[in-house]
Amino acid sequence: MADQANTIEVPTDAELLQSQADLWRHSLYYLTSTGLRCAIKLGIPTAIHRLGGAASVPGLMTKLSLPASKQPFLRRLMRVLVTNGVFAAEHNDGEVERYCLTPLSRILVDGVVADEHHSQTSFVLAATSRHYLEAALGLDEWFRKDVAPPLPSPFEDVHGASLFDESTALLDPELDAVVNEGLAAHDNLGIGTILRECRDLFRGLRSLTDCCGGDGTTARAIAKAYPHVKCTVLDLPKVIDKAPNDGVVNYVAGDLFHTVPPAQAVMLKLVLHHWSDDDCVKILTQCRKAIPSREEGGKVIIIEILVGPSLGPVMFEAQLMMDMLMLVNTRGRQRDERDWRDLFLKAGFNDYKIVKMLGARGVFEVYP
């Protein structure tokens, strides 16, 4: 056994060269993330948009007021981001003439007023922040520590603070602001898609409570599309205090661990992945108490990432990266269908249905 442990199968020449290239990619992926962060901090997506949707490097240099000496370096940054699909390139005689927005970079444009445009720049800035990266760099130390449950996240272990908690603001007010802005933008993206693709989800409802509904963006969109639905938003007092009181939705300050305002349906959109299984059962139990029987139309609507390889390797990888984000920064996780089914049963629900897959997310109806 000792001799075997000291030997290893040597790759072929082709395998060795490919392995080295793969190692470069995996070791240096952070440079793609930080390159994307750089583009956002410079305002490149917004600049291209304001230049009519396409821009040359000299045009970008002028628009962004960058020193002329940096022009060749900007070309190199844009080349990487084009290769990764952040931007597209128009070519003339084999040379890049102009850079254009892609669907990805369109959601990184700031300052646009549109019902379904929720700029994701804050999400990127949070995900690539020093605090997130330091937490990830401490992952090996976190694995080595033997501590009693409930286990702190690596973020808590490194920083002594919990995300989305008052302690984050004490740690760094700027981080707290960008994290909360990123959370709101991330959660509100795709509301229109949900309303178009899942029309029966809200049809026939008389009332709905949107748990952790923030400033009511989602609830207002539902109320606009379905005026007969009385929408209530439940969130923490610090969130409700800043919400617009426009009379379209009703706001309730509270804690979903203790009580959920009664309604025919309760909605949890991108909430449960932040929490442990035990906490999810407590939340779902409160939701079950807030709704009537299935015969009376009672249900819980859950919109969450539904992990699985059926959507292809790129989407599956995105789901797993989001699970790693939860592992490093929260006590929650992304879940596959069996995980969700177990939570529903433990919380006292009798049945559920996957209404539709919308990209990486699944839309569930859960019945008492």
Side-chain angles (χ1 to χ4, degrees), residues 158-218:
V158 169
H159 299 299
S162 301
L163 280 183
F164 317 120
D165 185 76
E166 288 82 358
S167 57
T168 311
L170 296 175
L171 172 68
D172 188 318
E174 185 177 343
L175 172 71
D176 184 59
V178 76
V179 164
N180 283 291
E181 288 169 7
L183 178 68
H186 175 262
D187 289 359
N188 289 325
L189 186 69
I191 298 169
T193 303
I194 294 168
L195 293 173
R196 285 187 291 272
E197 296 292 327
C198 305
R199 291 187 175 91
D200 292 339
L201 200 60
F202 307 103
R203 188 173 288 146
L205 283 182
R206 297 181 302 275
S207 59
L208 171 81
T209 295
D210 183 8
C211 292
C212 297
D215 67 358
T217 298
T218 294

Side-chain angles (χ1 to χ4, degrees), residues 131-277:
H131 297 86
Y132 276 39
L133 295 176
E134 287 175 351
L137 290 171
L139 193 56
D140 60 312
E141 290 297 326
W142 179 84
F143 268 107
R144 289 190 179 96
K145 290 182 179 178
D146 187 9
V147 296
L151 298 177
S153 68
F155 185 96
E156 293 174 87
D157 194 45
V158 169
H159 299 299
S162 301
L163 280 183
F164 317 120
D165 185 76
E166 288 82 358
S167 57
T168 311
L170 296 175
L171 172 68
D172 188 318
E174 185 177 343
L175 172 71
D176 184 59
V178 76
V179 164
N180 283 291
E181 288 169 7
L183 178 68
H186 175 262
D187 289 359
N188 289 325
L189 186 69
I191 298 169
T193 303
I194 294 168
L195 293 173
R196 285 187 291 272
E197 296 292 327
C198 305
R199 291 187 175 91
D200 292 339
L201 200 60
F202 307 103
R203 188 173 288 146
L205 283 182
R206 297 181 302 275
S207 59
L208 171 81
T209 295
D210 183 8
C211 292
C212 297
D215 67 358
T217 298
T218 294
R220 284 196 301 275
I222 294 170
K224 182 179 179 181
Y226 301 91
H228 60 278
V229 181
K230 179 184 177 183
C231 292
T232 297
V233 170
L234 171 71
D235 216 314
L236 297 173
K238 66 176 184 177
V239 177
I240 297 300
D241 289 345
K242 299 177 182 178
N245 188 12
D246 53 13
V248 177
V249 300
N250 179 45
Y251 292 94
V252 174
D255 183 344
L256 79 170
F257 280 96
H258 297 105
T259 184
V260 173
Q264 189 178 16
V266 170
M267 184 167 70
L268 293 162
K269 182 166 68 69
L270 300 170
V271 172
L272 296 176
H273 63 223
H274 293 126
W275 300 99
S276 69
D277 288 357

Side-chain angles (χ1 to χ4, degrees), residues 14-189:
E15 289 172 337
L16 188 64
L17 294 173
Q18 183 61 53
S19 296
Q20 185 181 50
D22 289 339
L23 187 64
W24 290 347
R25 289 189 304 110
H26 290 297
S27 300
L28 301 175
Y29 271 146
Y30 74 94
L31 292 174
T32 299
S33 302
T34 52
L36 177 59
R37 178 185 178 88
C38 173
I40 288 171
K41 296 283 277 186
L42 291 175
I44 293 174
T46 304
I48 294 175
H49 172 71
R50 291 176 179 171
L51 289 168
S56 64
V57 165
L60 281 174
M61 296 292 295
T62 301
K63 186 70 174 178
L64 301 173
S65 300
L66 299 178
S69 61
K70 300 297 173 63
Q71 182 166 310
F73 303 99
L74 182 61
R75 288 187 188 278
R76 290 161 65 183
L77 173 64
M78 295 300 290
R79 180 172 61 181
V80 168
L81 295 177
V82 166
T83 301
N84 286 282
V86 178
F87 301 108
E90 294 179 348
H91 294 83
N92 184 21
D93 294 330
E95 296 293 326
V96 174
E97 186 175 34
R98 297 191 302 174
Y99 295 99
C100 311
L101 297 177
T102 64
L104 193 163
S105 45
R106 287 192 193 106
I107 60 174
L108 299 174
V109 173
D110 286 324
V112 174
V113 179
D115 286 344
E116 294 189 34
H117 182 81
H118 302 280
S119 173
Q120 301 297 300
T121 55
S122 292
F123 176 84
V124 177
L125 295 179
T128 57
S129 67
R130 172 177 62 84
H131 297 86
Y132 276 39
L133 295 176
E134 287 175 351
L137 290 171
L139 193 56
D140 60 312
E141 290 297 326
W142 179 84
F143 268 107
R144 289 190 179 96
K145 290 182 179 178
D146 187 9
V147 296
L151 298 177
S153 68
F155 185 96
E156 293 174 87
D157 194 45
V158 169
H159 299 299
S162 301
L163 280 183
F164 317 120
D165 185 76
E166 288 82 358
S167 57
T168 311
L170 296 175
L171 172 68
D172 188 318
E174 185 177 343
L175 172 71
D176 184 59
V178 76
V179 164
N180 283 291
E181 288 169 7
L183 178 68
H186 175 262
D187 289 359
N188 289 325
L189 186 69

Side-chain angles (χ1 to χ4, degrees), residues 244-323:
N245 188 12
D246 53 13
V248 177
V249 300
N250 179 45
Y251 292 94
V252 174
D255 183 344
L256 79 170
F257 280 96
H258 297 105
T259 184
V260 173
Q264 189 178 16
V266 170
M267 184 167 70
L268 293 162
K269 182 166 68 69
L270 300 170
V271 172
L272 296 176
H273 63 223
H274 293 126
W275 300 99
S276 69
D277 288 357
D278 289 344
D279 283 337
C280 284
V281 170
K282 293 174 184 176
I283 293 169
L284 288 167
T285 299
Q286 293 300 327
C287 293
R288 180 173 53 79
K289 293 177 181 177
I291 59 174
S293 67
R294 183 173 185 176
E295 291 69 28
E296 297 174 282
K299 63 182 179 180
V300 175
I301 299 167
I302 295 175
I303 302 169
E304 284 278 3
I305 288 176
L306 178 55
V307 176
S310 62
L311 298 175
V314 174
M315 192 70 79
F316 188 44
E317 182 185 31
Q319 293 176 328
L320 297 184
M321 289 298 98
M322 287 296 290
D323 185 50

